[in-house]
Amino acid sequence: MSHAVSTVRPVDPELAELLAAEEDLQRDTIRLIASENYVSAAVLAATGSVLTNKYSEGYPTKRYYEGQQNIDRIEQLCIDRAKSLFGADHANVQPYSGSPANLAVYLAFCKPGDTVMGLGLPAGGHLTHGWNVSISGMFFRAVQYGVRKDTHRIDLDEVRALALKERPRLMFAGGTAIPRTIDFAAYAEIAREVGAIFVADIAHIAGLVAAGVHPSPVAHADVVSSTTHKTLRGPRGGLLLCKEGHAKAIDRAVFPGLQGGPHNHTTAGLAVALREAATPEFKSYAAQIIKNAQALAAGLVERGFAVITGGTDNHLVLVDVTSKGVAGKPLAKALDVAGLVCNYNTVPFDPRKPFDPSGIRLGTSAVTSRGMGVAEMAQIAGWIDQVAQAPTDAAVLARVRGEVVEVTRRFPAPGLAI
Ligand SMILES: *Cc1c(COP(=O)(O)O)cnc(C)c1O
C-alpha cells in the first residue's frame, strides 16, 4: 500500500479505496496510452507536497503575496532548468496544462477573429490548434491543413500554399497523433514568408526533444508550447519557451491574462522532472522509447496490421485496425479487458465516425519507464493481434490478461509500491 493510500484511508476510506484500485490498475496493466507515463517517486513526492498550500500570484521576486522566500527559489530553479534543458531564452512554467499554455499564446499574439492555422484534428492535430469545438476555433478564424492522402504525412507544400492564401497571424506545428519527425525548420521558413508567429507545440515529444532524439524547434519557433507530463515524464502541467523578444508578452498572457496563482506543487514536481531529464539516463530512456515504438510497429506490420505511415520515428504508433475485421473502439475496449490500455483514434481520411473510428493509438513512454524493451514489444504486438482476432472471446481476453499481469510483475512501475 502506498503512503498516499495509508494516509488517506483513516480520513476518507471511500477515496482511499479508489486510489488503491488505481494504483493496482497502473501496476498490473500495460499502459499504451501515448500521452501517459509514470513519473518517478521523487516527482510524485514533490507534486504531493505542502507546496499545494501556497498562493503566489506574479513571478519570482515580483509577487502580490508575502511568504514567497522558498517559492521564488523553487520557481526560478524550475525556469532555469527548463531554459538550460531546451536551450531557450525564456521559460514560463506556470501554465496549468497544455491547453491553457496554448490559450496563453493566442492571448499574447491575437485578437478575437484573427486567422490562425494548425493541423486539423482528424489528421492528428490538437483541439487547441483551431478545431471548431474548441475555444480556439470559436474565437478565432481557424484554417486547418491536413496530411497527404498517399503518405499520410504532413505536406509542407500544402502548409505553405494555405499560409500564403490565408496569411495567418499564428501558425501551429505539432499534434497528438503524428508518428513522424516534424520539420520545424521548414515550418519556420513558411511562417517567416507569410509573417506569422510560429508556435511549435511539442506536448507529445518534449521528452524526446529534451533528450536530443527528436530535432528541437527552439531555434526555429517564436514560441514552443508543451505539456510536462507526456514523454517529458513530469507532473501534469504546461510550459512555454520563447525568444527574449516575446518574453514579456508571454508572461503577461499567462498571468494576469489567463491565470491566477501558479500551482507551486506542480512547479516543484516539474523542477525535479527537468533535473531528471538532463541526465544521461534520460537520454537512454528517450532513445529506448523510440526503439520500442519501432519494434511495436514492426511487430504489428508483421502480423498484418496497417500501421499509418508504415512505422514511426517517435514514441507513437497509429494503427488502422479495420483490415483485421474490427473497428478501433471495440478493439480498444477488448484490449482494456485484456490489460492492454490504449485509446481508439481516428486515422487520416477515416471513413468512420470520430466516436467510432478505424484506429487505435499506441505509445511506448510508459512501458519504457518500466524498463520494458523490444522483446516485450514483440509480445505486446502478439497480444494485440490475438485480441483483434477474438475481441469478444472472454476466454482469450482472460488468458491474455493473465499473461500481461505476469509480465508486469517483472517490470516494477516507477512511483508505485510493489
Ligand atoms: C496533450 C496536448 C495538448 C493539451 O494538453 P492538456 O494538458 O491535455 O491540456 C496540447 N497540444 C498537444 C499537441 C497535445 O498533445
Side-chain angles (χ1 to χ4, degrees), residues 35 96-102 124-129 172-178 201-205 225-230 236-238 361:
S35 48
Y96 298 143
S97 211
S99 303
N102 283 343
H126 192 260
L127 283 164
T128 56
H129 297 187
F172 277 93
T176 61
I178 304 173
D201 181 347
I202 59 167
H204 261 267
I205 57 173
S225 78
S226 186
T227 57
T228 52
H229 46 272
K230 298 179 184 175
R236 301 196 72 96
R361 188 186 68 159

Side-chain angles (χ1 to χ4, degrees), residues 28-311:
D28 300 341
T29 56
I30 289 181
R31 298 170 61 234
L32 297 164
I33 292 182
S35 48
E36 291 188 358
N37 209 331
Y38 293 95
V39 297
S40 69
V43 169
L44 203 55
T47 308
S49 67
V50 295
L51 295 166
T52 197
N53 297 338
K54 290 296 296 173
Y55 235 102
S56 56
E57 282 185 355
Y59 289 101
T61 74
K62 286 165 248 151
R63 303 286 187 186
Y64 293 82
Y65 294 78
E66 301 314 314
Q68 306 303 322
Q69 296 85 334
N70 305 307
I71 299 299
D72 275 0
R73 292 177 65 187
I74 288 166
E75 186 172 337
Q76 193 58 53
L77 190 62
C78 190
I79 290 168
D80 292 344
R81 285 179 182 171
K83 282 163 64 176
S84 151
L85 182 66
F86 290 99
D89 289 355
H90 181 77
N92 186 308
V93 297
Q94 292 194 2
Y96 298 143
S97 211
S99 303
N102 283 343
L103 207 50
V105 178
Y106 286 96
L107 186 60
F109 299 107
C110 296
K111 295 256 176 304
D114 279 358
T115 300
V116 299
M117 184 171 144
L119 178 63
L121 189 73
H126 192 260
L127 283 164
T128 56
H129 297 187
W131 193 242
N132 57 12
V133 298
S134 145
I135 186 171
S136 62
M138 295 184 221
F139 286 16
F140 304 96
R141 186 183 156 266
V143 294
Q144 309 260 273
Y145 55 93
V147 293
R148 283 179 65 99
K149 211 156 193 165
D150 52 348
T151 62
H152 292 168
R153 297 187 187 219
I154 289 160
D155 181 349
L156 283 157
D157 293 334
E158 186 204 335
V159 174
R160 179 166 179 268
L162 190 65
L164 281 168
K165 176 165 167 268
E166 304 287 355
R167 299 273 162 181
R169 170 80 179 132
L170 215 61
M171 196 175 98
F172 277 93
T176 61
I178 304 173
R180 293 296 177 176
T181 301
I182 300 170
D183 187 349
F184 295 118
Y187 273 97
E189 204 176 306
I190 295 165
R192 223 174 2 252
E193 193 178 347
V194 304
I197 297 281
F198 172 37
V199 188
D201 181 347
I202 59 167
H204 261 267
I205 57 173
L208 309 181
V209 169
V213 297
H214 186 291
S216 170
V218 169
H220 306 293
D222 292 289
V223 181
V224 175
S225 78
S226 186
T227 57
T228 52
H229 46 272
K230 298 179 184 175
T231 53
L232 189 56
R233 213 163 65 182
R236 301 196 72 96
L239 174 68
L240 290 167
L241 309 168
C242 66
K243 307 254 186 259
E244 197 52 58
H246 296 315
K248 265 210 178 101
I250 286 292
D251 283 353
R252 271 196 205 126
V254 174
F255 173 85
L258 188 65
Q259 300 184 170
H263 293 179
N264 298 301
H265 56 300
T266 301
T267 309
L270 177 57
V272 176
L274 292 169
R275 184 184 171 108
E276 290 174 347
T279 59
E281 291 74 27
F282 191 88
K283 275 196 174 35
S284 328
Y285 163 66
Q288 189 64 44
I289 289 178
I290 297 179
K291 273 188 215 145
N292 282 351
Q294 290 174 338
L296 182 58
L300 291 167
V301 168
E302 221 172 87
R303 290 168 176 83
F305 282 93
V307 171
I308 301 300
T309 76

